[in-house]
Amino acid sequence: MKYIYGLNKSGRSIIDYLDSINENYFCWDDNYKKREELKNINNAISYAKPNNLNFKLIDESFITPGVSFKDKKIQILKKNKIPLLRDLELYSRISKDKKIIAITGTNGKSTTTKLISDVLKKNNIKNFVGGNIGLPLLECFKEKNKLEFHVIELSSFQLECKTSLKPYISVLLNISPDHLDRYKSYDEYATYKEKIIHLNKNGFNIVSIDDSKTLEIYKKNIKNVIPLSLNYIEKGIFFDDYKIIDNFFEDKKIIKIPKISNSLFGKFNQQNILAAYTVTKILKININNFLKTVEFFKGLPHRLENVYNDKNLQIINNSKATNVESLIKSVENFENIFLIVGGRAKESDFTKILNFDKKIKKIYLIGESSKKIFEQLKNYINCEICHTLEESIENSLKNLKNTDKKLTVLFSPGCTSFDQYENFEARGQSFKKIVKKFVNEI
């Protein structure tokens, strides 16, 4: 019998799957509303707290990715030698006959996942897209059409568990400090990201080597590795002035990119484009369709999403930026920035922002971490503490009258949303709603 701990999207998808194959289970969530909501849908549901289980009945447990395996609430499962797994392992068992393209990285993985999926669709290759993006992994069993290709985004949390996953193509985009509130060290976090490569014994491994951790992984001489870079590399694929230079599949093949979608602007998106190109080459599909996909790609919400733009002002929603590195990468793309930062910090050091002080006119700090960040930056950049997102937007827009240059209001918090919002999506939606309220007054 299975045990499911956590009734968010992934937990609910496991329950749906187990119900479909008539397998019994117990489940639990500490949130009473979630338990009641599920009970209203399925009156036969069996709830049990971890410490109330008959462990002789349980052969394995599936823990929601949001709960660490180190959490005290589930240690009793460990003590009773119940394997702790994620939805990834159950997905791996039912998807053994699929060609799985698995993507991870600290930043850009959702965009890359969608871009690769769109390239496949452009070539009439239908595919399931899920994981850390959109649909939970177990939703794949509901597909009426038996899709050969799966494109999945995996987080470090999903990769923590033992898994029988065998990707056909693994993509490792980048590794920078993240979730350090959950892991004992940066090295531990990086180890889980690296796992996506070691799971792939016979397929293709795509690794972007532009940061120290991924370069270190590449140098381990792992089998079937294709290196990517935004700089020249002798044996690999790199980006150079709106051109892809392919020194891996062909000898210095130059692929000119006539036009790049606004959703893929910025240097960091070049890494995502290279990954999609490499998948295109591995699958031997039409390069022209790849180029068309890059030209007309529609990005995901809350990722450098342009929510307002005129000759004087652009307003950018980058609520997905939940770590300092993603915050920095977004700042690199703009000038004359009024920057909104804050939330619940996963990292203690925000001083990297100071490297871009000439781009930033003022920083508005919100949420739980606002005072801590203010103390780090106040002597170098004009900063203001605002209690709410609404206050930060209102105050930033007042500055429009003080300059004749085009300004950018950039919401790139560099922190999680959990102090004020359920998730980054809810935070991004709130940002857009508030902007709409004030934009008529500009």
Side-chain angles (χ1 to χ4, degrees):
M1 186 179 286
K2 312 301 181 194
Y3 182 60
I4 301 104
Y5 185 87
L7 300 177
N8 57 7
K9 288 195 298 182
S10 66
R12 292 279 288 269
S13 69
I14 293 172
I15 286 171
D16 287 346
Y17 174 71
L18 295 178
D19 284 342
S20 75
I21 60 172
N22 297 316
E23 183 162 344
N24 294 326
Y25 56 86
F26 289 105
C27 62
W28 184 255
D29 195 294
D30 293 326
N31 187 315
Y32 172 78
K33 289 183 179 179
K34 288 185 178 179
R35 297 199 306 272
E36 283 298 294
E37 183 182 316
L38 186 56
K39 195 77 172 177
N40 290 334
I41 298 170
N42 183 354
N43 195 46
I45 203 86
S46 298
Y47 288 133
K49 290 183 178 180
N51 55 359
N52 291 338
L53 286 169
N54 180 347
F55 295 104
K56 292 180 181 178
L57 298 177
I58 307 299
D59 57 0
E60 56 189 8
S61 63
F62 294 91
I63 313 299
T64 180
V67 174
S68 169
F69 287 149
K70 301 169 188 174
D71 194 300
K72 292 179 181 178
K73 295 173 185 175
I74 59 171
Q75 292 312 299
I76 193 166
L77 298 170
K78 268 188 179 179
K79 288 178 183 177
N80 284 274
K81 299 182 180 179
I82 306 298
L84 304 182
L85 303 168
R86 304 287 191 210
D87 61 342
L88 175 61
E89 171 51 19
L90 197 52
Y91 162 81
S92 302
R93 295 173 191 173
I94 67 174
S95 303
K96 285 184 176 179
D97 61 336
K98 306 301 179 185
K99 288 187 176 178
I100 297 170
I101 302 170
I103 298 107
T104 198
T106 303
N107 299 304
K109 54 189 179 291
S110 295
T111 297
T112 301
T113 301
K114 185 176 186 298
L115 182 57
I116 289 172
S117 173
D118 286 0
V119 170
L120 267 61
K121 288 175 185 174
K122 187 70 175 173
N123 286 272
N124 297 315
I125 302 173
K126 294 181 179 178
N127 55 92
F128 168 77
V129 185
N132 200 46
I133 176 178
L135 295 174
L137 290 169
L138 268 294
E139 289 290 311
C140 71
F141 87 90
K142 295 180 180 179
E143 290 287 341
K144 292 180 181 178
N145 299 318
K146 301 299 180 182
L147 303 176
E148 181 185 8
F149 280 87
H150 288 191
V151 185
I152 62 171
E153 176 193 333
L154 299 178
S155 68
S156 59
F157 298 165
Q158 288 167 304
L159 288 164
E160 288 170 351
C161 77
K162 291 182 180 178
T163 177
S164 55
L165 181 72
K166 291 181 173 61
Y168 178 60
I169 301 173
S170 295
V171 181
L172 177 57
L173 292 167
N174 47 64
I175 303 176
S176 58
D178 199 12
H179 300 302
L180 300 186
D181 53 337
R182 175 143 160 176
Y183 297 113
K184 63 183 180 183
S185 68
Y186 178 28
D187 285 341
E188 183 186 16
Y189 166 71
T191 297
Y192 291 124
K193 289 294 186 186
E194 181 179 351
K195 188 175 178 181
I196 201 169
I197 301 298
H198 296 298
L199 290 170
N200 195 338
K201 303 296 184 184
N202 301 308
F204 299 87
N205 289 298
I206 301 170
V207 180
S208 183
I209 60 172
D210 286 339
D211 61 74
S212 59
K213 287 292 184 185
T214 54
L215 180 60
E216 183 181 312
I217 292 165
Y218 171 69
K219 287 181 176 178
K220 291 179 181 179
N221 294 317
I222 298 165
K223 187 180 178 183
N224 296 336
V225 175
I226 304 169
L228 312 180
S229 180
L230 302 186
N231 305 299
Y232 173 83
I233 45 177
E234 187 174 348
K235 183 64 175 175
I237 301 167
F238 65 96
F239 212 97
D240 179 38
D241 190 27
Y242 294 95
K243 297 187 293 291
I244 294 171
I245 315 298
D246 186 346
N247 280 336
F248 188 87
F249 295 100
E250 304 184 48
D251 184 18
K252 295 182 180 178
K253 174 76 173 177
I254 298 173
I255 299 93
K256 293 181 181 178
I257 303 179
K259 192 172 182 181
I260 295 177
S261 161
N262 288 336
S263 295
L264 292 171
F265 82 95
K267 192 172 182 181
F268 61 96
N269 270 313
Q270 293 172 5
Q271 192 177 69
N272 306 332
I273 293 170
L274 287 175
Y277 166 78
T278 309
V279 171
T280 299
K281 292 295 290 184
I282 290 170
L283 300 182
K284 298 179 181 177
I285 56 182
N286 191 297
I287 292 296
N288 288 329
N289 284 339
F290 158 74
L291 294 172
K292 285 291 183 185
T293 305
V294 169
E295 180 178 355
F296 295 104
F297 179 72
K298 187 176 180 181
L300 294 159
H302 319 303
R303 295 153 174 90
L304 287 181
E305 181 183 12
N306 197 312
V307 298
Y308 180 84
N309 196 0
D310 66 17
K311 64 178 182 179
N312 299 315
L313 172 69
Q314 60 181 341
I315 303 176
I316 307 295
N317 166 31
N318 198 35
S319 180
K320 182 62 172 70
T322 59
N323 57 61
V324 175
E325 189 68 19
S326 56
L327 158 61
I328 294 302
K329 286 185 175 181
S330 61
V331 169
E332 287 177 336
N333 294 284
F334 304 100
E335 303 290 337
N336 303 314
I337 303 169
F338 290 104
L339 180 63
I340 302 172
V341 174
R344 177 168 294 168
K346 294 189 283 187
E347 302 157 74
S348 59
D349 186 4
F350 281 75
T351 57
K352 282 185 180 180
I353 295 173
L354 298 176
N355 295 329
F356 302 91
D357 58 337
K358 292 179 181 178
K359 285 177 169 282
I360 301 169
K361 297 180 77 67
K362 188 170 181 178
I363 297 178
Y364 298 86
L365 297 162
I366 62 171
E368 191 178 281
S369 61
S370 56
K371 290 181 180 178
K372 178 176 73 174
I373 302 171
F374 179 79
E375 290 302 318
Q376 292 181 28
L377 306 180
K378 66 179 182 179
N379 293 329
Y380 309 96
I381 299 180
N382 186 10
C383 296
E384 177 184 338
I385 293 178
C386 300
H387 297 290
T388 64
L389 188 53
E390 183 165 350
E391 184 182 343
S392 70
I393 295 168
E394 182 178 14
N395 290 358
S396 65
L397 293 179
K398 288 177 183 177
N399 287 281
L400 288 177
K401 300 172 184 176
N402 302 329
T403 180
D404 56 356
K405 295 179 180 179
K406 183 164 183 174
L407 301 176
T408 297
V409 175
L410 173 59
F411 176 45
S412 194
C415 299
T416 70
S417 59
F418 303 129
D419 57 333
Q420 294 178 320
Y421 297 93
E422 183 179 357
N423 49 46
F424 77 84
E425 291 98 338
R427 178 172 64 183
Q429 284 299 121
S430 178
F431 177 80
K432 291 193 284 187
K433 186 177 179 180
I434 297 165
V435 167
K436 191 173 181 180
K437 172 185 171 183
F438 284 115
V439 82
N440 293 328
E441 301 173 11
I442 296 173

